[in-house]
Amino acid sequence: AAKRRSAGSVVGYEAQFSAVYHERMELLADLQVAMEENQFELVYQPIVNPSDGRTVCCEALLRWNHPRRGVIPPSVFIPLAEATGLIVPIGAWVIREACREATFWRSDINVAVNLSPVQFKDGEALIETVLQCLAATGLAAYRLELEVTESVLIEDAEEALSLISALRRQQIGVALDDFGTGFSSLGYLHEFPFSKLKLDRVFSRNLVGSRRSAAIVRGVVQITRDLRMELVAEGIETAEQLDSASRLGVNAVQGYLFSRPLSAERLRETINAPIQPTSRPPRRSGAVN
Ligand code: C2E
Ligand code: MG
Ligand code: MG
Ligand code: MG
């Protein structure tokens, strides 16, 4: 029975595969023109100090408003953009647009931009792009934070170190994103001059009821304090998770409990008001995710 089932699923898999493949090829063709057709949009999710509800930073998150398929999430199109190299011009647009938008916010609110490992590979081009964006928009360098994942550290540690160091010398923030999902060597924290660590949402999810998760978060709080790094807990969705995180000493959180990602326009209207945690955030008109 096991054999028959697996044989059946192989056929199913192939049919499925070709459908998926076909769809990918179509999306790929659409992706080539998405930029010139202005189909990309940045939405922004506040990162909040839970003690007063104030926004300390907003993370720019890329959306593709596809003319027929509607909004396509980054998990679908970023891998395509990376495979084709399109991520480089798209990524440059993201940095420029995020810097421009942040000039409309109070100067104590930073903006965070995600970088693909592909952008990270050409360090000199990246620095040039970033400095150009800052110069063109007039955003102060210290207000920009670039988020990278561990994968960029593994590929070429030496290159990554010199790039991160160069960015930090320019006062640009560099955050280690999704910490805890990869290899998460503590050695990385020692070796690379990150300004911020973002603890992946798996820890927030398990924070309530798991002493082991709590112990890890407590440890990370201590380590980032000692290393003078900022810490953000990602994916805080419930009041209980917030309560646990706060009690463990986490003083910056990001998640649906405070806000979903918002359109630039909506964010501008709300960014200066402290945010109250709301367990079931209403999908307001400006909420796009
Ligand atoms: P990320 O950098 O870790 O961003 C956080 C993701 O978690 C976002 O998903 C956000 O909408 C989602 N999120 C926020 N709060 C919560 C919560 O409380 N619960 C849950 N379940 N999710 C929450 P999004 O926007 O779909 O982005 C996914 C990933 O795509 C990002 O993960 C980032 O790695 C990548 N990405 C997004 N924008 C860009 C970009 O401009 N360039 C590059 N290279 N990657 C991007
Ligand atoms: Mg991120
Ligand atoms: Mg993240
Ligand atoms: Mg994450």
Side-chain angles (χ1 to χ4, degrees):
K3 227 177 198 170
R4 210 173 17 195
R5 196 164 53 231
S6 69
S9 67
V10 166
V11 173
Y13 176 78
E14 276 176 359
Q16 233 182 339
F17 180 81
S18 89
V20 167
Y21 181 79
H22 183 77
E23 184 174 309
R24 296 264 128 158
M25 295 316 285
E26 226 176 66
L27 266 191
L28 196 55
D30 295 343
L31 195 58
Q32 317 271 358
V33 299
M35 202 133 84
E36 53 201 74
E37 308 266 303
N38 291 318
Q39 291 166 6
F40 290 117
E41 180 188 356
L42 289 180
V43 294
Y44 299 87
Q45 187 177 34
I47 295 163
V48 174
N49 177 345
S51 69
D52 57 10
R54 286 198 166 269
T55 298
V56 295
C57 181
C58 296
E59 180 174 6
L61 296 162
L62 187 57
R63 298 292 180 264
W64 178 12
N65 297 313
H66 191 281
R68 292 180 313 279
R69 295 168 193 253
V71 180
I72 302 183
S75 56
V76 172
F77 69 85
I78 297 262
L80 284 178
E82 287 177 334
T84 53
L86 278 171
I87 192 68
V88 173
I90 295 172
W93 177 84
V94 170
I95 299 168
R96 170 85 172 242
E97 183 63 19
C99 289
R100 193 185 65 80
E101 189 57 34
T103 62
F104 292 94
W105 309 338
R106 258 193 1 237
S107 63
D108 58 343
I109 301 175
N110 291 352
V111 64
V113 173
N114 292 285
L115 291 185
S116 155
V118 177
Q119 289 169 278
F120 218 72
K121 249 182 214 145
D122 189 348
E124 264 168 47
L126 178 67
I127 297 222
E128 200 180 305
T129 299
V130 169
L131 293 179
Q132 251 173 29
C133 291
L134 291 171
T137 59
L139 187 75
Y142 74 89
R143 295 186 58 198
L144 176 63
E145 299 177 9
L146 301 174
E147 299 193 357
V148 300
T149 53
E150 276 166 32
S151 55
V152 307
L153 312 179
I154 295 161
E155 275 182 31
D156 189 344
E158 226 169 288
E159 178 71 22
L161 177 60
S162 81
L163 179 50
I164 295 169
S165 305
L167 291 166
R168 298 290 293 121
R169 275 197 301 275
Q170 300 282 341
Q171 316 296 321
I172 296 160
V174 183
L176 181 54
D177 203 356
D178 300 342
F179 186 75
T181 52
F183 294 94
S184 298
S185 159
L186 290 178
Y188 295 145
L189 301 185
H190 168 76
E191 211 174 320
F192 300 95
F194 291 109
S195 49
K196 179 183 273 189
L197 187 155
K198 299 187 77 176
L199 192 61
D200 193 77
R201 66 167 181 267
V202 295
F203 295 100
S204 304
R205 199 185 303 145
N206 297 328
L207 207 47
V208 180
S210 162
R211 283 198 201 163
R212 300 169 72 90
S213 278
I216 290 169
V217 173
R218 192 179 296 116
V220 171
V221 166
Q222 192 59 54
I223 289 166
T224 49
R225 259 185 210 157
D226 291 349
L227 295 176
R228 301 221 172 2
M229 288 169 63
E230 292 174 62
L231 172 66
V232 175
E234 297 189 286
I236 296 286
E237 293 180 352
T238 70
E240 291 75 22
Q241 291 168 351
L242 174 63
D243 195 52
S244 302
S246 299
R247 266 187 290 128
L248 292 168
V250 176
N251 55 23
V253 303
Q254 178 177 6
Y256 296 162
L257 181 67
F258 280 99
S259 177
R260 289 177 178 272
L262 304 171
S263 69
E265 192 186 11
R266 177 75 192 162
L267 181 73
R268 282 195 205 183
E269 296 164 4
T270 55
I271 193 168
N272 292 326
I275 314 178
Q276 299 301 319
T278 326
S279 271
R280 281 153 163 275
R283 276 182 169 270
R284 298 189 213 86
S285 58
V288 283
N289 187 9

